[in-house]
Amino acid sequence: MPPRAARLGDIRPFHVMRLLERARELEASGRNIVHLEIGEPDFATPQPIVAAGRQALEDGRVHYTPARGLATLRQAVSGYYRERYGVDVDPNRILITPGASGALQLALAALVDPGMGVMLSDPGYPCNRNLVRLVEGVVRAVPVGAADGYQLTPELAAAHWRADTAALLVATPANPSGTLLSRAALAELAELCRNRGAALIVDEIYQGLTYDAEDITALAFGEDIFVINSFSKFFGMTGWRLGWLVVPADYAADLDVLAQNLFLAAGTLSQHAALAAFSPETRAILEQRRETFRQRRDFLLPALRELGFDIPVTPEGAFYLYANCRALTGNSFEFSQRLLEEAGVALTPGIDFGDHRAGEHVRFAYTTSLEALEEGVERLRRFLCGQA
Amino acid sequence: MPPRAARLGDIRPFHVMRLLERARELEASGRNIVHLEIGEPDFATPQPIVAAGRQALEDGRVHYTPARGLATLRQAVSGYYRERYGVDVDPNRILITPGASGALQLALAALVDPGMGVMLSDPGYPCNRNLVRLVEGVVRAVPVGAADGYQLTPELAAAHWRADTAALLVATPANPSGTLLSRAALAELAELCRNRGAALIVDEIYQGLTYDAEDITALAFGEDIFVINSFSKFFGMTGWRLGWLVVPADYAADLDVLAQNLFLAAGTLSQHAALAAFSPETRAILEQRRETFRQRRDFLLPALRELGFDIPVTPEGAFYLYANCRALTGNSFEFSQRLLEEAGVALTPGIDFGDHRAGEHVRFAYTTSLEALEEGVERLRRFLCGQA
Ligand SMILES: Cc1ncc(COP(=O)(O)O)c(C=O)c1O
Ligand SMILES: Cc1ncc(COP(=O)(O)O)c(C=O)c1O
């Protein structure tokens, strides 16, 4: 057999995939499953975006675009930052990418030399550590918990700083916790990185999906910050595979070349469709959906707390609740398996998000209807009663 | 400023991008340019594929697919190998990727440890060396020329073998030369790699686009070969960003996980659209297009030879002619610039494909109409007369 690169052995599969596969099996055998593990909106792509996609198809927009994306789309993203966030971002600093996934890969490839450290939170988005591994960087996971709002705070970052720290990677709102970094925290993180010669990468893929809190962008805190974003979540375009990356002006040309080598370009139809993502019509739809997500959260959060899940920090964004289930089980992975088999409810076990107290946590995603959430809570209630 | 990874400095921009930009400027100022530098078919995506895409849009196929792609599409690709090439490929060995670009990245990430060598031809597809650099591998470029059919032959591979060789990366038909590897050569390369514990990666992105020669697949020569392919070229779907990777069965599970981390998945609409790529209706359209490409080549090849370009090996595939222009110029990059400015013809200079005699070569792409090719040849003729 051919050789196998060492990194291949280091990249762990996600446990939720096994659960999802088992859920599909159970469904195929006739069981009803309440899905609370899915990390994407259940909504369809907003109609104006679909219509723009259809039009692009009619117009034969099927050839490669420039590597960094359509100029019109980069301008539209820039306009969005100005209007909605009051921040000026030169379109030349914006690269359109195949999802936030592509943006994360570009940023890490541009910043991280082999052996250099990337500080990130544990728990955190599972792909991050593997993307760091891909470029031969070293993951420096910082355990975070309720006291830190499940975020890599400036205090934690300073305390865990090492000589090899090349970049800090944070997400706000975060996956799996749904918690946010404040303006002050972002400004301090930026300042810390600036002073110590490291890069700050902020993943804003759940931007727009905030409920009680202010909707902000890290771009307000310096032109040296790398910002990841995507049309996947707030804009409801997961399967279109489209995101963007904002970089310091000095990096724009090199990242254009890197993007060309890695991807050639993001999808053409997707880019034309996304031109409709910032229209007033689409924005109205997205606002409604945000309201729906808020209602779901406002139902699920107290219901879970009542069942004995400990959710000490109110999640103010994304569509996730990261719950401590220590009062209910000693092993959240086994708990997730039993919950699926016996109660027909699918969750994501904490182990997928890191190592820190992973066995005490599960993630709930409210990416399903209020009725399904009610049914899920009812099933959980019965399951926990039977278990008690 | 944040740090800058060393690899960023090593990834060279493509000179053709500067020429293309200049061509656009000239066009904006009213000049007519004959484009012989474009590496994608000028045709629209075949109508049945567009129709399937439109239907998928109507059906709301906009959520993430599994990382390795839709099961139906993997089966369709497997069926295509069976019907057209008489080779059995288990759908489980097939991963759907964001273009051949994604497939190349996956394969290299899976096979190449830092410091290990990847042998490839010079000239060759420009992104390859940068993708090797990305995973901290070492490019071992082997100069190839007319005597080797512009291909990394088994003899050359054996002669240039080194202790650190982890993989061989070849393409057939090749970019920029349009030349092919024979059945015998593929079988020998596979055997060589097998005996020496390296991987053979064969990029078949121009498969289907062969003119006098037999249309084959390296998959016939062993289940340990990595094969790259794409819907971009033969199927006319460049902007859809969809390709595939065939791997040895033992690698399938790990590559699924790697794909999930790198991309999450390829585009959903694109995958549904591509289900129509293998239909008899589409195949008939593609056959016609192949005939058109053949006619263009059959016009351009003798016309260029007559003008003094040396094309010693008849290109039997893809849509490129790699021409030695030593008789006409001492510097093919400067020649390309002058040709653009003075004659309004855009070419790709050899420097974009490597270092080996790059200054003596240019690449012609016959991805434009016969009339445009005729006009281009006429402009070349006048330019060369004026120069003589
Ligand atoms: C925090 C975070 N970043 C990035 C991504 C990647 O998303 P995409 O590539 O669809 O934009 C996800 C997806 O779940 C995510 O949760
Ligand atoms: C030899 C070769 N391989 C791979 C690619 C990447 O193509 P895509 O990512 O569109 O499939 C190209 C594109 O020109 C190519 O010429």
Side-chain angles (χ1 to χ4, degrees), chain B residues 143-156:
Chain B
V144 301
D148 329 296
Y150 293 93
Q151 283 281 8
L152 181 55
T153 60
E155 296 71 34
L156 283 173

Side-chain angles (χ1 to χ4, degrees), chain A residues 64 263-264, chain B residues 39 98-102 104 125 128 171 175 203 205-206 229-233 238 241-243 320:
Chain A
Y64 293 129
F263 320 124
L264 289 191
Chain B
S101 302
L104 280 163
Y125 177 57
N128 288 342
N175 179 3
D203 182 347
I205 186 171
Y206 295 102
N229 214 320
S230 176
F231 291 95
S232 284
K233 314 286 172 155
T238 46
R241 312 307 304 118
L242 199 68
Y320 305 119

Side-chain angles (χ1 to χ4, degrees), chain A residues 95-119:
Chain A
L95 294 113
I96 305 298
T97 58
S101 302
L104 280 164
Q105 208 194 125
L106 273 184
L108 292 169
L111 292 166
V112 184
D113 271 318
M116 295 299 285
V118 178
M119 209 189 284

Side-chain angles (χ1 to χ4, degrees), chain A residues 176-346:
Chain A
S177 69
T179 60
L180 275 62
L181 282 164
S182 68
R183 280 178 182 275
L186 284 170
E188 276 178 59
L189 285 171
E191 194 54 29
L192 180 72
C193 288
R194 203 168 289 137
N195 289 339
R196 304 205 181 180
L200 176 61
I201 309 173
V202 183
D203 183 347
E204 301 188 339
I205 187 173
Y206 295 102
Q207 190 181 57
L209 291 171
T210 50
Y211 309 114
D212 325 301
E214 208 191 352
D215 183 28
I216 60 176
T217 173
L219 291 167
F221 306 104
E223 303 207 337
D224 52 355
I225 302 170
F226 286 71
V227 166
I228 311 289
N229 214 320
S230 176
F231 291 95
S232 284
K233 313 287 171 151
F234 177 55
F235 298 98
M237 295 183 70
T238 46
W240 299 75
R241 311 308 303 119
L242 198 69
W244 72 86
L245 172 64
V246 184
V247 300
D250 274 0
Y251 286 75
D254 281 353
L255 277 166
D256 184 21
V257 177
L258 192 60
Q260 191 167 11
N261 280 282
L262 287 180
F263 320 124
L264 289 191
T268 304
L269 282 177
S270 301
Q271 293 186 59
H272 282 279
L275 284 169
F278 307 110
S279 73
E281 213 185 334
T282 304
R283 299 268 284 273
I285 297 168
L286 298 178
E287 271 314 303
Q288 276 173 16
R289 290 181 178 185
R290 179 159 74 135
E291 199 41 45
T292 303
F293 278 126
R294 181 209 304 278
Q295 285 162 12
R296 293 173 181 179
R297 185 202 60 163
D298 289 348
F299 163 74
L300 191 60
L301 179 60
L304 292 178
R305 283 175 171 162
E306 211 183 293
L307 287 176
F309 290 96
D310 186 20
I311 308 170
V313 183
T314 296
E316 298 181 305
F319 31 63
Y320 305 119
L321 303 174
Y322 195 60
N324 193 315
C325 52
R326 188 182 35 189
L328 308 169
T329 175
N331 178 336
S332 66
F333 180 53
E334 198 196 79
F335 178 78
S336 305
Q337 284 183 308
R338 285 187 42 225
L339 199 64
L340 176 60
E341 298 291 338
E342 296 170 29
V345 176

